[in-house]
Amino acid sequence: MAYYKFYNIQLLPMDTRTTKEVGIDGYCNLFSNVGSKIAEIRKSGLKLSSIAVKMRGEMYFAPFSVTISEYPSESGEKPNKLVHGYFLKFDDVNELVDTESGKLEYRSKGNTSSKRYQLEFVFDPANHIMAIHHTRGLPTKGPLITGLTDLLNEYAHRLFPDHNLEIEELTAADSVQEFFEEPKKGISSYSGKVTFSNSDDWDQDLSEELRPEARQAEQELKELSVGKWETKYNAFKNNLMSDLPRTAKIQMMLATLYGNAEASYVAQDGTKKKYHMEDHPVRELHREEKQDGIQNRAIAIVRLISKAKEKTRVSEGILTRNKNIL
């Protein structure tokens, strides 16, 4: 069994009036170029660290393999596509010395590691979401998003100079629901961020009650070529807001897939508490023993991506049970 975490990878038009979405083929082209670079450095005999991102603790993060393949669609017409591969997190140690004396004990020929973690990933270009194996060695949210952005930006800028790369971790909507429902004395501060989404995602995934306002907000973002929607609300000193504004609540619901949010508040019993969306990532379990071969395994993980995306949506039930939320 293996758990996976999920990351929304978007190539967003900087000017939506003149630039189109990159689409499935565009995302596949992005990863195809990463794969070509891996093959190039291996052919030339260069070290993997030459295309790696430097991380904390003398560790590196690099793409190790990339394979793009097709599999049958449910309609039986045009086949679906997926990207399967591995990242490596590793150190690059060429010399080992005795801890006490400092005397050289071993010198390698290069490209050697004392710590090496292989991290499987599957990317669904239709949903532009990546699943990464949540196992030992996987960097935490911030360093991982920074690493992925640094790795992909080189190719994104060259292939799609009129687009901007944005990466966000998927958050479980249950945590937002619990935050809404928890009795509070008041809220001291709120901050949220939503990245302008690809074309039809909001319409397809939002609840009926939210769609009109979300559609209007999305259309305005598109027309003005806005990249991010960031919001902050603060109560007066030594005071509390009685509730969050409606726009903040809508933003929180969108942020589970497209951004991040956090709030400081006082619970009904007087306890000061904080809600951090990043503390509630979506995780899905893949039961490895049920799949045979890498292709079938990758297809099964793509199906996990669809389940993960569903978990980012606040349910209809929370809207009908508690009208005060909106």
Side-chain angles (χ1 to χ4, degrees):
M1 296 189 297
Y3 280 96
Y4 286 79
K5 293 176 75 176
F6 303 87
Y7 296 84
N8 190 5
I9 299 176
Q10 299 187 92
L11 286 166
L12 301 172
M14 288 185 275
D15 187 342
T16 54
R17 295 165 296 185
T18 59
T19 308
K20 296 181 179 180
E21 312 284 351
V22 303
I24 292 173
D25 290 338
Y27 285 109
C28 287
N29 191 20
L30 175 69
F31 281 92
S32 176
N33 274 259
V34 177
S36 297
K37 189 66 174 181
I38 297 169
E40 179 186 319
I41 66 133
R42 285 185 177 140
K43 185 177 180 180
S44 61
L46 293 173
K47 297 167 67 173
L48 190 63
S49 57
S50 66
I51 60 167
V53 173
K54 188 73 162 42
M55 306 194 86
R56 289 177 292 186
E58 299 302 314
M59 300 294 287
Y60 292 86
F61 185 71
F64 184 64
S65 72
V66 173
T67 303
I68 299 172
S69 59
E70 296 183 344
Y71 63 100
S73 62
E74 292 183 4
S75 65
E77 298 177 356
K78 188 176 180 180
N80 295 321
K81 292 184 178 182
L82 64 81
V83 183
H84 177 270
Y86 296 90
F87 295 111
L88 281 190
K89 181 183 169 186
F90 60 97
D91 60 1
D92 190 20
V93 179
N94 295 323
E95 293 184 349
L96 296 176
V97 298
D98 181 86
T99 303
E100 291 289 338
S101 66
K103 181 180 177 182
L104 180 66
E105 295 283 344
Y106 171 78
R107 178 182 285 117
S108 78
K109 295 179 181 179
N111 206 33
T112 53
S113 302
S114 64
K115 297 177 183 177
R116 181 185 185 275
Y117 306 99
Q118 184 167 291
L119 305 165
E120 183 183 33
F121 76 86
V122 174
F123 179 72
D124 177 3
N127 283 304
H128 48 84
I129 292 175
M130 176 182 285
I132 303 180
H133 188 190
H134 189 197
T135 187
R136 186 183 179 195
L138 183 68
T140 55
K141 176 189 173 182
L144 179 58
I145 289 178
T146 299
L148 288 172
T149 303
D150 290 346
L151 286 179
L152 296 175
N153 250 337
E154 172 191 348
Y155 310 97
H157 286 322
R158 176 166 52 83
L159 295 169
F160 307 105
D162 297 324
H163 293 73
N164 193 59
L165 178 70
E166 293 288 343
I167 303 176
E168 296 289 350
E169 185 177 68
L170 269 61
T171 304
D174 286 351
S175 69
V176 178
Q177 185 167 320
E178 290 169 5
F179 170 75
F180 283 161
E181 291 184 322
E182 182 179 359
K184 306 176 187 66
K185 284 190 173 181
I187 299 167
S188 56
S189 66
Y190 167 83
S191 63
K193 177 190 74 172
V194 168
T195 302
F196 168 65
S197 78
N198 277 306
S199 52
D200 297 324
D201 288 347
W202 288 5
D203 261 14
Q204 292 172 359
D205 297 322
L206 280 178
S207 65
E208 290 288 348
E209 189 165 348
L210 284 177
R211 282 179 189 169
E213 290 183 62
R215 189 182 296 116
Q216 181 180 352
E218 181 184 28
Q219 187 59 39
E220 185 176 16
L221 287 171
K222 282 186 174 185
E223 290 175 356
L224 299 176
S225 295
V226 174
K228 284 186 176 67
W229 171 22
E230 297 188 52
T231 304
K232 286 189 176 182
Y233 294 101
N234 290 286
F236 287 112
K237 187 176 180 180
N238 299 324
N239 214 325
L240 294 171
M241 295 180 279
S242 59
D243 197 3
L244 284 178
R246 184 182 178 91
T247 53
K249 294 173 181 176
I250 291 174
Q251 186 181 60
M252 286 187 78
M253 293 180 180
L254 297 173
T256 55
L257 183 60
Y258 299 118
N260 196 19
E262 58 183 61
S264 296
Y265 62 101
V266 178
Q268 196 65 49
D269 63 2
T271 305
K272 291 184 179 179
K273 301 175 76 172
K274 288 190 176 182
Y275 168 78
H276 292 281
M277 187 171 281
E278 63 182 28
D279 292 338
H280 307 276
V282 175
R283 292 204 321 154
E284 287 291 337
L285 175 64
H286 169 58
R287 301 185 184 277
E288 302 171 76
E289 68 275 8
K290 293 186 178 181
Q291 302 300 327
D292 296 318
I294 293 178
Q295 178 73 352
N296 285 339
R297 174 188 175 85
I299 293 171
I301 296 171
V302 163
R303 293 187 178 125
L304 291 184
I305 289 174
S306 297
K307 289 176 63 178
K309 189 175 179 182
E310 289 173 7
K311 286 189 175 179
T312 66
R313 290 306 173 201
V314 175
S315 69
E316 295 286 346
I318 183 64
L319 301 178
T320 57
R321 286 198 308 273
N322 187 352
K323 290 295 183 181
N324 291 330
I325 285 175
L326 294 171

